[in-house]
Amino acid sequence: MRRLVALTATGVLAAALLTGCGSDAPSGESVTVFAAASLKQSFTQLGNQFEGDHPGTTVEFSFAGSSDLVTQLTQGASADVFASADATNMQKAADAGLLDGSPVNFASNVLTIAVAPGNPKAVTSFRDLTRPGLTVVTCAPQVPCGSATQKVERSTGVTLAPVSEESSVTDVLNKVSSGQADAGVVYVTDVAGAGGSSTAVDFPESAGAVNTYPIATLQDAANAERARDFVDFVTGPAGQQVLRQAGFGAP
């Protein structure tokens, strides 16, 4: 009988050890990326590729206007990586002590005018956006695409009167695509990735308002190592290829 009890006790101990080992097994890693709205399509693709290269890792995104993302971060939102559509909002994050090291520029983008497919209102220039009866939407001034639009206004002497100023460039494009506006100032990459729901009208003055995109790991990253890996991936050959295919320029 004593031998049976001993064997039973041994079995219980072995089961407990196995259960303990199972609870310590890794449950996977997660990287949270705050990224400018104009990066949604490209970064979603990059996230899928990164997950494939790092089995067990999940990339979670929050896409919004860069200014909104900085506000969220300064108010305590948790993230591992921040990718901004301009240097100004990245500098705000740096001034708030949120960055882990220096940001790296990884892409650039220029403005275009989004109109309905086929350009039924015959918009051909930036100045055309001031035509009476034409409903125009832009990004708000604190948003990178809005700041770039204002820069074009100053250089051309053309002052727009938008019916609304949106908090992200994707909101501007949606207004045009849904027919709520005749035209909107967005990035070339937004129209390129819109699947034909809008047409781009390029204007030469946009060359004077190029936005450069920086990316950085954050000081309080829960997964600092994977965060750095993701930044390296975006700035490396594979990431750059995806961004160029989407229409982004070199940084």
Side-chain angles (χ1 to χ4, degrees), residues 31 40-61 226 229-246:
V31 178
K40 184 173 184 178
Q41 189 169 356
S42 298
F43 265 36
T44 299
Q45 181 179 346
L46 289 175
N48 290 334
Q49 291 185 17
F50 187 80
E51 289 175 352
D53 292 342
H54 300 81
T57 297
T58 300
V59 184
E60 299 176 351
F61 292 103
R226 275 291 178 262
D229 288 342
F230 184 79
V231 171
D232 289 343
F233 181 69
V234 170
T235 58
Q240 291 298 294
Q241 180 179 6
V242 169
L243 290 163
R244 298 298 170 271
Q245 290 174 344

Side-chain angles (χ1 to χ4, degrees), residues 20-38:
C21 289
S23 66
D24 290 337
S27 58
E29 298 178 298
S30 176
V31 178
T32 301
V33 180
F34 275 28
S38 53

Side-chain angles (χ1 to χ4, degrees), residues 36 38-39 66 82-87 89 144-145 187 211-214:
S38 53
L39 293 166
S66 298
F82 175 43
S84 173
D86 67 350
N89 283 289
C145 62
Y187 295 118
N211 273 13
T212 299
Y213 288 53

Side-chain angles (χ1 to χ4, degrees), residues 141-166:
Q142 68 271 20
V143 182
C145 62
S147 177
T149 300
Q150 288 190 328
K151 189 172 183 179
V152 174
E153 290 182 85
R154 290 192 296 269
S155 68
T156 59
V158 174
T159 301
L160 304 184
V163 295
S164 69
E165 295 179 333
E166 304 298 324

